[in-house]
Amino acid sequence: MQAKTPIHAPIDQFPVSDGKLVIGGMPITTLAARVGQTPFYAYDRQALRARVAHLRAALPPAIKLHYAMKANPMPALVGLMAGLVDGIDVASAGELKVALDAGADPAEISFAGPGKRDPELWQAVASGVLVNVESMRELPVLAAAQQALGLPARVAVRVNPDFELKGSGMKMGGGPKQFGLDTELVPEALAWIGREGLAFEGFHLFAGSQNLRAESICEAQQKSYELALRLAASASSPVKFLNLGGGFGIPYFPGEQRLDLAPIGANLAAIVERAAKELPQAGIVIELGRYFVGEAGLYVARVVDRKVSRGQVYLVTDGGLHHALAASGNFGQVVRKNYPVTVANRVGAAEREVASVVGPLCTPLDLLADRMDLPVAQVGDLVAVFQSGAYGPSASPQGFLGHPAVVEVLV
Ligand SMILES: *Cc1c(COP(=O)(O)O)cnc(C)c1O
């Protein structure tokens, strides 16, 4: 017999009580009343803590975990994460402010991203954070800031490697890219850094994102390590920081499974062992965004209307792509697929039907679930979209069509 494709990616992170999804220890209906409005995002502290602990248990203790806060920059959540992980990766001066306000140690903050403006580079030097240099243009600006402020410009070189992360949702290294310095340019940059006396700390490599294949991640980590080791020969001082990237994916779509961490842990253990001899001063870092936060969040909207059009049921909610662009399928998906969605106050109900969940925007793109098997819902019910802890409000066009802003809570 052929296995039936499950209707959802694995979703077991939130218990159900009396037919209601429970998050932060509260039934969803109670939480909705506490928030006082729909739509809202809720992120579960316990799920975040459990995820970090799960990862630490699977990886060698020497591996440092950094949170790439672009996945979810909510200040309270960044504050929680700052206490759980070993460092925060920021990608703008705006994110840097949130990380510093959250109490993250500047010594353990790194700042990556193309097109860093001069004031942002000065802010980074003044803050004492590590800059992942992505362009030769950044070097003289950092040297000037170091000179004027009398503070070290801490730099790592972000390398655009000559390989990519196979099977990634988004490729961010290999071939021509706007990210990092091409491998070929790195010796020249290292010579410049040595000559001008910037505080060289190491390398940053990031091959891609949203990968569910452990063997591809291991291969990218191995190749990244080898490349950094080769490039270290051109550096004027020892490598203290080696960021091997991340790319750990989470299951969003039917048929996808959670990433198998065991081979990744074994692979990193082998790298740590080699590095102890070959790069003895290097702290090895991996940086993850969605893997930490994605499965810990729900997007919750209320059913405003229930319509039947030529036999197809539409649940029209007060939430949509203006808050949840990724869940609507419009943030990097090639073929639209459904995130896991449920009627959060009727989980497990016997009465089910096939329905589409849409938002209030005047565009057919505003689709949260396309013809999904769901509990039968009525006006006033709550729809929850799982896997919504990453790339939510900050990655959505909130101003589009002038609907109310979404609220975020950490529970
Ligand atoms: C976006 C990004 C991340 C986070 O990616 P996730 O898929 O959320 O883990 C990490 N590092 C860099 C450099 C990034 O640009």
Side-chain angles (χ1 to χ4, degrees):
M1 211 175 82
Q2 217 181 337
K4 196 164 162 259
T5 306
I7 65 161
H8 288 320
I11 38 165
D12 52 16
Q13 58 272 55
F14 303 113
V16 174
S17 165
D18 199 16
K20 298 182 180 87
L21 217 51
V22 175
I23 179 166
M26 268 169 288
I28 197 78
T29 42
T30 308
L31 179 60
R34 196 191 98 170
V35 174
Q37 72 155 71
T38 50
F40 63 90
Y41 275 89
Y43 313 119
D44 185 303
R45 283 190 174 86
Q46 202 41 49
L48 293 165
R49 286 195 194 97
R51 179 50 68 102
V52 176
H54 175 68
L55 198 58
R56 289 219 192 266
L59 304 184
I63 294 291
K64 290 192 187 184
L65 303 178
H66 278 204
Y67 173 49
M69 65 169 278
K70 85 167 190 275
N72 188 328
M74 181 206 192
L77 181 144
V78 175
L80 176 69
M81 291 302 292
L84 297 175
V85 297
D86 305 305
I88 306 284
D89 290 331
V90 304
S92 68
E95 288 192 354
L96 175 59
K97 178 180 187 304
V98 173
L100 292 171
D101 287 349
D105 179 359
E108 306 296 340
I109 295 176
S110 55
F111 182 3
K116 298 183 199 75
R117 289 170 289 115
D118 291 9
E120 292 183 292
L121 291 165
W122 280 66
Q123 284 174 272
V125 175
S127 308
V129 306
L130 179 68
V131 176
N132 294 334
V133 170
E134 311 233 0
S135 157
M136 295 299 280
R137 186 199 62 87
E138 292 178 7
L139 293 174
V141 181
L142 290 163
Q146 169 169 282
Q147 174 76 31
L149 296 168
L151 292 167
R154 300 176 54 216
V155 295
V157 174
R158 178 167 179 184
V159 184
N160 174 29
D162 35 20
F163 57 86
E164 57 188 30
L165 179 49
K166 286 183 201 140
S168 278
M170 280 189 207
K171 294 195 168 69
M172 293 180 61
K177 286 284 179 302
Q178 73 268 51
F179 307 110
L181 290 174
D182 293 348
T183 310
E184 311 81 276
L185 279 175
V186 173
E188 185 190 335
L190 292 172
W192 203 100
I193 288 166
R195 215 167 41 239
E196 300 295 323
L198 302 188
F200 172 75
E201 299 202 1
F203 297 104
H204 174 215
L205 293 105
F206 186 77
S209 205
Q210 180 49 23
N211 202 310
L212 289 170
R213 286 164 43 186
E215 70 278 12
S216 303
I217 291 173
C218 291
E219 188 189 321
Q221 288 172 342
Q222 280 293 344
K223 286 181 171 174
S224 297
Y225 177 78
E226 299 280 348
L227 178 55
L229 186 63
R230 252 193 297 134
L231 294 171
S234 311
S236 53
S237 59
V239 171
K240 289 188 265 183
F241 171 89
L242 177 52
N243 184 336
L244 294 176
F248 295 19
I250 61 171
Y252 287 104
F253 306 122
E256 291 184 343
Q257 293 302 322
R258 291 204 171 99
L259 184 63
D260 181 6
L261 292 177
I264 298 174
N267 186 59
L268 285 172
I271 290 175
V272 165
E273 203 181 313
R274 279 189 67 181
K277 297 187 213 91
E278 295 167 339
L279 298 169
Q281 299 192 29
I284 299 185
V285 172
I286 59 168
E287 57 175 1
L288 303 170
R290 80 184 76 222
Y291 189 82
F292 283 131
V293 297
E295 293 179 66
L298 291 176
Y299 176 54
V300 182
R302 200 177 286 282
V303 178
V304 172
D305 201 351
R306 181 191 158 87
K307 296 175 65 177
V308 181
S309 168
R310 307 219 159 98
Q312 192 175 324
V313 177
Y314 286 91
L315 303 172
V316 186
T317 70
D318 56 7
L321 77 75
H322 53 310
H323 302 150
L325 189 68
S328 76
N330 295 293
F331 190 65
Q333 282 188 42
V334 182
V335 180
R336 192 196 176 286
K337 293 183 217 153
N338 287 326
Y339 273 40
V341 168
T342 191
V343 179
N345 57 318
R346 296 184 191 270
V347 182
E351 257 190 291
R352 297 181 74 87
E353 67 183 353
V354 172
S356 289
V357 179
V358 301
L361 307 190
C362 282
T363 161
L365 299 176
D366 193 10
L367 183 60
L368 293 175
D370 184 16
R371 287 162 294 172
M372 186 181 281
D373 179 46
L374 288 168
V376 172
Q378 303 301 335
V379 169
D381 283 344
L382 298 170
V383 167
V385 182
F386 294 85
Q387 320 303 64
S388 291
Y391 304 105
S394 70
S396 302
Q398 288 220 49
F400 189 37
L401 271 114
H403 288 282
V406 73
V407 170
E408 296 175 276
V409 292
L410 181 66
V411 293

